[in-house]
Amino acid sequence: MEFQQVFKAAPQVQASAPGRVNLLGEHTDYNEGFVLPTAIPQQTIAAIGWSPDNCHHIYSVELAEKVDISPTATGIPGFASYPYGCIKVLEQAGYAIPPLNLWITSSVPIGAGLSSSAALEIATLRGLRSLLHLPLDDVSLARLGQQAEQQYAGVQCGIMDQMASSLADPKHLLFLDTRHLDYQLLPLPDGAEILVLDSGVPRTLAGSSYNQRRAECEAAARQLGVKALRDVPDIRAIGNLPEPLQRRARHVITENARVLEARQSMSARQFGHLMNASHASLRDDYDVSTPELDSLVKCLQETPQVFGAKLTGAGFGGACVALVAAGEGRAIAQAVLSQYHPSERKGRLLVISSEDRG
Ligand code: GLA
């Protein structure tokens, strides 16, 4: 249903924000390290108007569900927790937010590791910024989105997803230093496009071991006497850490080095090698892959015209990203998906960066 049909009034503003796919720098953001995501063509749209009563009303087109939130409500479950979290963090920052009608629609795949939640947060925050003329820049929006996710969805996420949704575009890679929030838009390697395939294994970040990995990294940093694993000067410094902290730290340190290497301009083939190494490290040292992701990544890596492939996002299910020869994404997806049938899982094509919709 359109906004008008749901709320019997027209919206005041409409805003959108993209999902993201990460090419390199997995689980480095909460270690204050470096990441290299890009925006995907799929977007979330938020339309916002004034509520006629003292409640917020939040409608999702895809779920065909409306959630009414009274001023005394606590513990909002499901999709509405994200836009509600955005309203609450703006209030905490000192902005008065009147009761609102919010209408959400999205083509970002949900639960596949493509940051549908960050897209929802940034679309909502952009809409609120324009509706209420809030003096917030794009980096501030990303910080607020991250706070909303941490406080209202219970995920101790880093800032990569919200920064990518707020600042990246599908034609560039976003190099981001997550400690200083310095960033730079870089071109894709020549002759390449990005392909994203879903493994068919759903993942939920809050229910996964994500928060546990974060705690392990913090424990490793404490034992090494550094503020964050980004500050470990030399991989030899981790030799005395107990397992699994030693492997967790090794992943983070080598992954940061891969992002910094990829920041230099390089061929698609060289970039692909770094992606392959990233996957091996996520699988063997960080323990966030699954047999299905490994099998899909292997099919991709063995396919001609694929430069490199890895799981993307947090892992524990979800999607794989590959760097492939420009113009070949669709044919490669077809060939790989026809070979991929682990335990009756069904993979699917999610994104080709050069096409408008996956
Ligand atoms: C999720 C989190 C990000 C990041 C990735 C792993 O997407 O939201 O902050 O930690 O996992 O790279």
Side-chain angles (χ1 to χ4, degrees):
M1 281 206 285
E2 295 301 312
F3 189 105
Q4 179 79 41
Q5 288 170 284
V6 181
F7 296 117
K8 315 289 178 238
Q12 303 292 318
V13 295
Q14 179 167 309
S16 64
R20 69 96 188 90
V21 61
N22 191 22
L23 275 87
L24 277 177
E26 232 53 274
H27 292 276
T28 48
D29 59 353
Y30 52 83
N31 292 295
E32 304 190 16
F34 308 100
V35 294
L36 202 56
T38 182
I40 59 172
Q42 287 101 322
Q43 304 251 345
T44 295
I45 298 172
I48 310 180
W50 312 118
S51 164
D53 52 37
N54 65 352
C55 296
H56 298 299
H57 304 280
I58 309 182
Y59 180 78
S60 156
V61 172
E62 281 64 40
L63 301 175
E65 187 187 331
K66 182 150 78 69
V67 177
D68 305 310
I69 304 176
S70 77
T72 54
T74 49
I76 309 302
F79 84 97
S81 65
Y82 298 96
Y84 179 68
C86 293
I87 291 171
K88 296 309 278 183
V89 295
L90 283 172
E91 287 177 349
Q92 285 165 27
Y95 299 109
I97 312 292
L100 299 169
N101 287 335
L102 247 117
W103 176 95
I104 311 283
T105 187
S106 182
S107 58
V108 180
I110 293 174
L114 297 180
S115 293
S116 55
S117 55
L120 176 50
E121 288 147 10
I122 299 300
T124 303
L125 287 165
R126 280 181 176 165
L128 291 171
R129 172 170 70 183
S130 108
L131 179 71
L132 303 169
H133 308 290
L134 306 177
L136 296 167
D137 63 16
D138 292 343
V139 172
S140 309
L141 283 202
R143 283 186 197 272
L144 289 161
Q146 180 196 24
Q147 278 170 34
E149 179 122 5
Q150 292 188 340
Q151 294 173 23
Y152 292 88
V155 182
Q156 292 309 308
C157 64
I159 199 159
M160 167 173 70
D161 304 347
Q162 289 78 14
M163 284 291 281
S165 184
S166 189
L167 292 155
D169 69 66
K171 301 214 178 322
H172 295 91
L173 300 175
L174 177 78
F175 170 82
L176 172 67
D177 174 341
T178 64
R179 170 171 281 169
H180 302 110
L181 299 189
D182 296 337
Y183 60 90
Q184 193 184 356
L185 289 172
L186 304 172
L188 272 179
D190 274 348
E193 66 185 16
I194 295 165
L195 170 67
V196 183
L197 300 180
D198 183 20
S199 68
V201 183
R203 52 157 265 298
T204 54
L205 214 54
S208 74
S209 308
Y210 184 89
N211 291 347
Q212 185 199 336
R213 289 292 179 286
R214 184 172 182 146
E216 287 168 346
C217 289
E218 285 163 4
R222 261 196 313 278
Q223 293 195 26
L224 293 167
V226 290
K227 177 166 180 276
L229 287 180
R230 175 218 177 106
D231 299 313
V232 179
D234 184 335
I235 189 92
R236 282 171 297 189
I238 67 173
N240 290 330
L241 282 179
E243 290 297 3
L245 302 193
Q246 190 174 138
R247 284 186 298 126
R248 305 296 186 251
R250 187 166 57 218
H251 166 72
V252 173
I253 295 164
T254 58
E255 186 77 351
N256 274 330
R258 283 185 281 275
V259 179
L260 291 176
E261 199 180 333
R263 187 189 188 184
Q264 314 306 320
S265 96
M266 55 169 57
S267 71
R269 183 64 61 195
Q270 288 167 317
F271 194 103
H273 282 310
L274 294 172
M275 293 173 74
N276 293 345
S278 169
H279 184 79
S281 176
L282 288 161
R283 180 191 61 211
D284 302 334
D285 281 345
Y286 219 65
D287 285 323
V288 293
S289 192
T290 66
E292 293 87 353
L293 285 168
D294 289 342
S295 133
L296 193 52
V297 164
K298 187 160 177 284
C299 287
L300 282 162
Q301 289 173 347
E302 287 170 354
T303 302
Q305 300 194 297
V306 172
F307 300 117
K310 61 181 269 293
L311 70 82
T312 186
F316 313 106
C320 300
V321 61
L323 192 69
V324 306
E328 298 301 324
R330 206 155 268 278
I332 291 169
Q334 216 171 17
V336 167
L337 290 174
S338 69
Q339 296 163 40
Y340 168 76
H341 298 293
S343 54
E344 305 306 310
R345 298 288 182 186
K346 210 163 151 33
R348 68 194 162 116
L349 170 58
L350 294 178
V351 179
I352 295 177
S353 61
S354 58
E355 296 184 3
D356 256 2
R357 293 281 296 270

